[in-house]
């Protein structure tokens, strides 16, 4: 990314953040809801990006973790407990389950792991649906309150959107720090070549489990925001298709790229809305768009950008080389 | 234990259908490393193709023939040329994601162009009951079972007894070596896609009269077939057959003896246990890890 230049990148970042804060101020209720949903799904997709993009493990259970977080928030806040307590419970619970679910990852690879997590996803859905005493089953939990943050009520859509955006900001900073820490470098080493990572003294077992557990915990974080966002949850949104959607978000945005989940979630959440004018055709067009994108660039949207920048850099480098060479040749 | 026989026959009948779907799934995986997440939708679509032909006024037998031909064209040839071929060089995961998108697209297309409601579908096996060992067993279950078994036997014979079958197996085991010894690998891969399309069309024909034609019916079926394929052995045709029958029976028995609420969980728990203790599946052979 050196091609853009450091200051331009900072300016771009500030502009995007400013736009995210200012532009929605005159959005209507539905627009704010969609944007909040984008922020929430980005957090869940970031978690999956850590598992998939950095540690190279396919998980089809991220939707289930969002569900666990959402139910934790719904059950606890309707009992009068604060959301921050639910957040703690969700993180601990999802981290622990993610850690346990990571064990098969040590034994089996690729598609087998995908199917273990797929099985977990379906089991979680069955528990949400059938354990009426806890989750109220198919009737769902309604009147989920929105939290007070630092003394501000977030009942109205705009404050709640800022709450989601702020949470996304905190998670992004934490993730930014994580992937630059020795941990993150170990994750990347794990993805690129597990055997070499092992030979470099990286405890692959522990890091694989860690990537799974942290990724899952972020799914739980997204869930605790999702419940107060919709203020009503039932098992349906947390079925397998949410896990598949999240996986698509990560791949479409660009797995292993920091900003991949942001773009992927934008496409998965906003594109169907923009295509809504096509009425019943929007999901069809969305599916076709995803397929075409993957055929064109299997590394997602950021993969295209990355390729373009690499090409430019290579061209610039070979141009420099040519200049240097001609100078050498013309030198006396 | 009075209705155990009924449960077994019904379980084997659905299991045989799962086996058809699972076999196609393993064939695609073996020859071209394709994990088809749309396999369930592949079973859903042929029934609608046949219904569409019938709505145009054609008799049932003609609808079946046209439905199978369309399925070969769309789900066999079209799927391979338009999606798998351009994506294959990118590796397993992007292709798997693309088939997920394909599944969404197929579901939405059927919902949009046909109907969101479940439609009845005529059965090729007559309704009625027969008495076996003093018990009433539905002719439909028996007929479905018989037809599915016949197809499975035919397929195994094709794979094990004919020269084309041997060439397909060689392709599945090692495409490079197969190419060196003169097997037309490309043609064999295309053939597996066509066989898969034929199997899903047949499964569609057999299962839709039981569960009605609905745009979303592929979800459950696809998952059952995946589980069957993995339980039996991802890389073995006979594993997929055994897995299919096993899942069908376990599913039916679980519905009767465990709880109806958690019946869907029983095959999944079976799946997790098998993956943990025998990741290659009951009849599968371990795959070598490539680094």
């Amino acid at each position: 990314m050196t091609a853009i230049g450091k200051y331009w990148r900072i300016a771009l970042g500030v502009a995007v953040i400013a736009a995210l804060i200012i532009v929605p101020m005159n959005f209507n209720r539905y627009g704010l809801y969609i944007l909040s949903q984008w922020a929430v799904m980005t957090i869940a997709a970031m978690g999956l990006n850590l598992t998939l993009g950095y540690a190279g493990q396919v998980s089809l259970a991220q939707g289930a973790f969002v569900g666990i977080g959402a139910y934790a928030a719904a059950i606890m806040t309707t009992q009068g407990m604060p959301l921050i307590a639910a957040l703690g419970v969700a993180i601990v619970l999802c981290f622990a389950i993610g850690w346990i679910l990571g064990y098969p990852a040590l034994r089996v690879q690729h598609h087998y792991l995908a199917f273990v997590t797929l099985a977990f996803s379906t089991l979680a859905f069955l528990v949400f649906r059938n354990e009426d005493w806890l989750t109220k089953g198919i009737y769902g939990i309604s009147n989920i309150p929105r939290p007070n943050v630092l003394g501000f009520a977030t009942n109205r859509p705009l404050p709640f959107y800022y709450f989601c955006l702020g949470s996304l900001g905190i998670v992004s900073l934490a993730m930014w720090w994580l992937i630059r820490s020795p941990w993150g470098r170990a994750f990347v080493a794990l993805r690129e070549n597990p055997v070499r990572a092992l030979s470099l003294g990286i405890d692959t077992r522990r890091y694989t489990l860690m990537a799974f557990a942290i990724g899952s915990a972020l799914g739980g974080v997204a869930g605790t925001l999702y419940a107060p966002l919709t203020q009503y949850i039932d098992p349906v949104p947390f079925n397998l298709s949410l896990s598949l959607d999240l996986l698509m978000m990560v791949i479409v945005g660009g797995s292993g790229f920091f900003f991949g989940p942001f773009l992927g979630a934008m496409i998965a959440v906003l594109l169907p809305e923009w295509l809504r004018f096509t009425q019943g055709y929007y999901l069809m067009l969305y599916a076709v768009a995803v397929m075409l994108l993957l055929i064109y660039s299997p590394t997602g949207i950021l993969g295209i950008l990355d390729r373009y920048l690499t090409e430019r850099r290579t061209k610039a480098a070979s141009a420099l080389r040519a200049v240097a060479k001609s100078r050498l040749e013309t030198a006396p | 234990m009075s209705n155990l026989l009924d449960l077994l026959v019904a379980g084997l009948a659905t299991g045989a259908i799962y086996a058809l779907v699972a076999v196609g799934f393993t064939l695609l995986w073996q020859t071209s490393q394709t994990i088809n997440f749309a396999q369930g939708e592949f079973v859903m679509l042929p029934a609608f193709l046949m219904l569409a032909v019938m709505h145009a006024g054609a008799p049932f037998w003609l609808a079946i023939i046209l439905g199978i031909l369309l399925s070969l064209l769309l789900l066999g040839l079209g799927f391979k040329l338009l999606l798998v071929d351009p994506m294959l060089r990118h590796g397993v995961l992007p292709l798997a994601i693309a088939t997920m998108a394909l599944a969404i697209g197929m579901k939405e297309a059927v919902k949009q162009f046909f109907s969101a409601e479940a439609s009845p579908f005529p059965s090729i096996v007559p309704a009625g009951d027969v008495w076996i060992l003093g018990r009433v067993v539905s002719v439909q279950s028996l007929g479905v079972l018989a037809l599915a078994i016949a197809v499975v036997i035919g397929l195994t014979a094709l794979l094990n007894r004919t020269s084309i079958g041997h060439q397909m197996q060689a392709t599945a085991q090692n495409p490079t070596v197969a190419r060196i010894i003169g097997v037309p690998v490309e043609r064999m891969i295309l053939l597996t896609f066509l066989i898969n399309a034929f199997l899903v069309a047949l499964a569609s024909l057999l299962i839709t009269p039981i569960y009605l034609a609905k745009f979303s019916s592929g979800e459950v079926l696809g998952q059952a077939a995946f589980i069957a394929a993995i339980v039996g052995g991802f890389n073995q045709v006979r594993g997929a057959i055994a897995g299919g029958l096993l899942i069908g029976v376990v599913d039916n028995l679980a519905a009767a003896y465990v709880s109806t609420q958690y019946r869907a969980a029983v095959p999944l728990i079976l799946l997790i246990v098998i993956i943990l203790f025998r990741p290659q599946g009951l009849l599968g052979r371990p795959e070598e890890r490539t680094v």
Side-chain angles (χ1 to χ4, degrees), chain B residues 17 21 38-48 75 106 199-205 207-208 217-218 221-222:
Chain B
I17 297 168
V21 186
Q39 186 81 345
E41 280 68 30
F42 273 36
V43 181
M44 174 274 294
L45 191 69
F48 281 98
L75 305 177
M106 285 172 73
L199 291 177
V200 290
L202 217 60
S204 188
L205 192 60
I207 206 162
T208 320
S217 61
L221 244 169

Side-chain angles (χ1 to χ4, degrees), chain A residues 2-25:
Chain A
T2 44
I4 299 183
K6 196 179 172 192
Y7 295 105
W8 280 109
R9 263 188 296 157
I10 293 173
L12 184 70
V14 170
V16 168
I17 292 169
L20 281 172
I21 293 172
I22 296 164
V23 173
M25 280 180 177

